[in-house]
Each structure stands twice: as C-alpha cells, then as structure tokens.
Amino acid sequence: MLDQAMVLRFKAPSSFTGEDVVEIHCHGGIAVIDAILDAVHQIDIQSSIRPAARGEFTRRAYAAGKLGLTQVEGLADLLLASTQIQRRQAVSILSGALERRYDSWRNQLTSLRAAAEASVDFADDIEGDVDFYQILEPTLTKAKALRNDILASLEKGNIGMAVRNGIHIVLAGPPNAGKSSLLNKIAQRPAAIVTDTAGTTRDILQLDLTLAGFPVSLYDTAGLRTKTNDPIEEEGIRRAHDALLHAHLICYILDASCMHHEHPFHILHQENKNTELIFIANKCDLLPNDNPNLILQRGRAYIQDTFPSSPFFQNATWISTIATEQDGIDHLLTFLESYVQRRFSHSSNEPPAIVRQRHQRHVLACLDHLNQAIRDFPYAPELGAEGLRLAAFELGRVVGIIDVEDVLDSLFSTFCIGK
C-alpha cells in the first residue's frame, strides 16, 4: 500500500479540459508523491506520461473551447488577486462577461458590414445617380452609436487596468519636504532612510497597501530640483520623472514653513488626462503664527496665478498635514481612500471592457478603422465595408480568434504547474 488517497474521475466532455481526467488526492509528503508517480510510470507501457507544463490544463481547456481567451486571462488574474475588488473583477471576466461584450461588438460590426455590402449591390440595379448617404443613413447611424459605445468603454479602461495592476500614487516634491517621513508613517515602519540632509532619497521606494479595497502602490521619489552636481542624485531625479509619467495621482509635498521658495512645478505638468494632482503642505507644526488654512489659500492662489490655463494645476486639491503626527496621516489616508473610490469605483456589475494593455491596443485600432469606415461610407461604401471588416478583425484578436499563440505563450508562463 502506498497511501490512503481519494481518486476522482471526470468524464469527458464535462471536465475542466473537456477530456477524461483522473485526479489523485493523496497526502502531501514528498515520499508519498514520489511513490505514486513511480507506480503510475510503471503501468505506463508507452511512456506517454509526463509532467504538465505551466498552465497546460487551462491551455487544453482553451483548445477544447471550454474557455475563451479573455476567460483564461480572468483565471490568471484570479490566481494573482490580492484584494477583494481584484477578485470580483477576475471572477466576472472568468464567467465570460468580457467575452460577451466583445462578441456583441463584433456581431454588430458584421451586421453593419453585411448591410453596407447589400446596399452597394442594391445600388447597381438603380438607374442614374445614387445617393449612397441616403441609402446608408441607417447603417451610418448604427455605426456611430456603436462607436460611441466603444469610446465610452475606452474612457473607462483606466479603471480596469488600475484594479488589475494597482493604483500608482507618487510622492514628489523638493528635497527635505518630508516625503520619506510621510511614507514611513503610512507604512508604520522605517521603510525609507530619513535624515536632515537634503537629497537623502536617491532611488524609488515602493510601498504596497490596500485603500478602500483597491490595490495601491505608493512611491517615494528623490527630491526634485532643477540643478544638481551629483550624478547619483541626477539619476534619482530622472527616475522620479519616469514615476510621475505613470502616476494616477501625484502628491506634491511642500514644506509649509518655506513655501515661498522656488519649486520646479513645471516638472509636474502632465499631458496624461488621467493623472490628478494634490498639494500637501507638510510640517505645519513649524509655522510660527500663520494657520494651515491661510497657507493653503496662499499656495492655491499662487498656483492659479502661475498656471491660469492649465486644468491639471487649476483642479488640484490642497491639504495640510504633519508627517510626524498620526492625526495628520489619518487625514491624508482618508483623503486618499475617498480619491480611489471616486476615481476607480464603477456601479455596473459588468467588468470594464479594457483590463490589459493589449485590449486597449486592439480597441484603439478598431476605433481607427470604424472612424475611417464612417468617413468613407458617403463616398466609397465598399471602402467603408472594408473598414468594418478590419475593425471586427481587431476585436477578434482580443477574444483569441486571430493571432493567439504568442498571447497564450506569454499568458501561460505566469501559471502554476497545477493549472
């Protein structure tokens, strides 16, 4: 006897992979597992048994049509989910919600293309000049409605990707403003080195936490200044710039006791409309007479006068804090929690249509072809029909109908052996 175990048989096509499957549930000791594997190999006359590759069972399920490509991605996300919001999004994708959304769009594009081609064929039987705009007006109306639907989903794409990859909040500001002290207080441990010497932080420090159920990565960066003779500090500032470019929220921290000093605010300017900015007046306990509210009013007025035509700066929020006191940190965390809830919560039970960068890439290409088709219809309906075909082709790449092998290889490399 090798062990006391439970053996389960899953009969095709009702198993996970769609094949006949046997599972042996044994005790987990290495000696037990080795003995069972040796026994299995002894009865394998043709030597066809081998260890499974990463994600092989899921790949077989995909090949058997048990799962679509976005469902496989949902399963991958579920295996890596660290928060309940990530879990809910992954389960919804695994259930096929994303697959159904893309299939609906593809079916609409196919119907529009069929209508356009039928209109062209119909026009061949008409004598005299043909007003294609009038003939294709119903098709154009539906194409524009579909475009608006896809555009609305694209605008919400940052929500799905942020939930999956984490929300990036960057602490930026001049040297010695208290960024690292703030990070340490939030982490409740000395995650960053803190000294009175300006420019102590050279590299980017990352703190992962959960705010309002959302995964958040908080980054402490090197102090920003326009000039430095230190090549190491210069590299730290360059890395801080890179972090700012990928931030969802920039927390610019100022020393409230010397806010009149020159600040490189121009470095903060973002072309990315998805980035928001808050100014944090730190070290308010060092103010001799002025109260924090007056300091915030002065700072807000200065920024509004300096950048009058920039919504990025004009819409910035101002708050005050003391990095060494828990009350100030609690106030900041409450603000950050309200920010992530406002920015990344969505009321629908359906997941956002875009959860990965490859989704975004193909949806943007789909929109390009759809827009070109709408422009072509009144003058060259046959070109419009071709544009619809290309738009549907891009969505087919999302759901795995076209060009799927490279995506699968990359995807399954993240799976464990047992999946």
Side-chain angles (χ1 to χ4, degrees), residues 64-297:
K66 306 285 283 187
L67 293 175
L69 181 57
T70 59
Q71 289 176 286
V72 173
E73 290 175 328
L75 178 56
D77 291 345
L78 184 60
L79 295 173
L80 298 174
S82 60
T83 71
Q84 292 303 311
I85 288 177
Q86 287 178 317
R87 178 192 61 78
R88 286 196 293 270
Q89 177 170 285
V91 167
S92 182
I93 296 170
L94 177 58
S95 71
L98 217 57
E99 200 93 1
R100 290 189 293 271
R101 177 89 61 88
Y102 282 105
D103 282 343
S104 173
W105 287 345
R106 287 183 64 251
N107 290 338
Q108 291 180 65
L109 287 168
T110 301
S111 297
L112 290 171
R113 180 188 171 197
E117 291 176 343
S119 298
V120 173
D121 293 339
F122 173 73
D124 291 338
D125 298 329
I126 301 176
E127 295 182 0
D129 295 333
V130 177
D131 187 350
F132 281 112
Y133 186 85
Q134 183 177 2
I135 295 175
L136 292 169
E137 187 174 4
T139 302
L140 267 174
T141 300
K142 292 178 181 178
K144 290 176 181 178
L146 176 58
R147 177 185 60 185
N148 293 339
D149 185 22
I150 297 176
L151 271 173
S153 295
L154 187 64
E155 290 173 357
K156 296 177 182 177
N158 64 308
I159 295 177
M161 288 193 290
V163 168
R164 178 177 177 268
N165 301 321
I167 299 163
H168 295 178
I169 299 178
V170 175
L171 303 179
N176 240 15
K179 301 182 295 298
S180 296
S181 296
L182 205 59
L183 182 82
N184 288 344
K185 200 67 176 179
I186 293 173
Q188 298 183 340
R189 59 182 174 85
I193 297 173
V194 177
T195 70
D196 292 330
T197 303
T200 299
T201 301
R202 302 297 182 91
D203 208 347
I204 294 176
L205 298 177
Q206 178 179 339
L207 172 65
D208 293 326
L209 63 156
T210 301
L211 293 177
F214 289 86
V216 173
S217 293
L218 189 65
Y219 298 94
D220 179 25
T221 60
L224 299 176
R225 47 181 157 193
T226 54
K227 293 182 180 180
T228 177
N229 295 323
D230 187 334
I232 299 178
E233 184 181 12
E234 185 178 11
E235 175 62 18
I237 294 173
R238 187 194 66 77
R239 295 186 182 190
H241 289 179
D242 290 343
L244 292 173
L245 292 175
H246 298 95
H248 293 104
L249 176 67
I250 297 172
C251 298
Y252 191 85
I253 301 168
L254 309 101
D255 184 340
S257 64
C258 54
M259 287 181 62
H260 60 282
H261 290 182
E262 183 178 353
H263 293 276
F265 290 129
H266 64 281
I267 294 175
L268 301 178
H269 185 71
Q270 296 285 312
E271 296 297 335
N272 184 357
K273 66 178 181 179
N274 291 322
T275 302
E276 295 187 26
L277 171 68
I278 66 168
F279 288 101
I280 301 174
N282 189 30
K283 303 184 182 181
C284 290
D285 55 323
L286 300 182
L287 296 174
N289 299 313
D290 292 333
N291 63 57
N293 290 334
L294 184 58
I295 289 293
L296 297 183
Q297 290 175 9

Side-chain angles (χ1 to χ4, degrees), residues 50-67:
R50 60 171 176 78
R54 285 184 176 271
E56 183 166 355
F57 293 106
T58 304
R59 190 163 196 153
R60 286 170 177 257
Y62 172 79
K66 306 285 283 187
L67 293 175

